Amino acid sequence: MNKIEHIGIAVADLKKASTLYEQLLGVSCYKTERVESENVDTAFFKTGENKIELLASTADDSAIAKFIAKKGEGIHHIAFDVDDIYAEMERLRNEGFVLLNEEPKKGADNKLICFVHPKTTNGVLIELCQEIR
């Protein structure tokens, strides 16, 4: 894992949260994107080397909707940049971590992604991200 790629924050209202984060960070949202496979709309912010991804549900049964219903709005996941997502997934499986998907899938911001189950990471949802080449 090279670095923290972004921090994902679950929000109920993407437009309202985007306005808040623009004020908080002093920067504009640089990208919005719908990820149909995850039933979410996303908004990205960058300040220095750091990125924040806001995630709002587009379906009542999505992972983000369930997260907000259970825990409320807030930090949803920490994403790490990796060079080879397949090798990293294999390494983590061999170390005993449980992955939420067997194969990487296309995520937002031109990334292949995979999630590590929070029951094997002390309650923190970890996302692996690799730039699609």
Side-chain angles (χ1 to χ4, degrees):
M1 294 192 198
N2 299 320
K3 66 176 183 171
I4 293 176
E5 209 286 330
H6 67 268
I7 297 172
I9 300 173
V11 300
D13 182 326
L14 190 62
K15 185 173 181 162
K16 191 175 183 180
S18 291
T19 299
L20 181 137
Y21 274 85
E22 285 178 346
Q23 292 171 332
L24 176 69
L25 300 173
V27 297
S28 296
C29 170
Y30 74 85
K31 181 180 192 177
T32 59
E33 183 176 351
R34 176 162 284 182
V35 183
E36 296 288 348
S37 65
E38 298 297 313
N39 292 314
V40 297
D41 284 333
T42 64
F44 286 90
F45 298 84
K46 188 168 186 176
T47 176
E49 295 290 317
N50 304 301
K51 290 192 329 190
I52 299 289
E53 176 189 32
L54 302 181
L55 304 118
S57 176
T58 60
D60 292 340
D61 62 345
S62 75
I64 294 299
K66 291 175 187 175
F67 177 89
I68 290 173
K70 185 176 180 181
K71 298 184 178 185
E73 294 179 287
I75 294 177
H76 179 258
H77 66 269
I78 299 175
F80 289 90
D81 174 69
V82 298
D83 292 325
D84 183 341
I85 196 166
Y86 294 95
E88 193 61 19
M89 289 171 67
E90 185 64 24
R91 182 186 77 80
L92 291 173
R93 277 191 202 100
N94 290 338
E95 292 288 341
F97 292 93
V98 175
L99 304 181
L100 292 178
N101 39 305
E102 290 299 314
E103 293 291 325
K105 53 188 171 178
K106 186 171 180 346
D109 206 25
N110 196 44
K111 304 280 191 274
L112 287 176
I113 63 169
C114 174
F115 288 95
V116 183
H117 200 294
K119 74 179 181 182
T120 59
T121 58
N122 289 348
V124 178
L125 182 61
I126 301 295
E127 180 183 17
L128 307 177
C129 295
Q130 177 189 314
E131 189 79 24
I132 295 174
R133 301 175 190 126

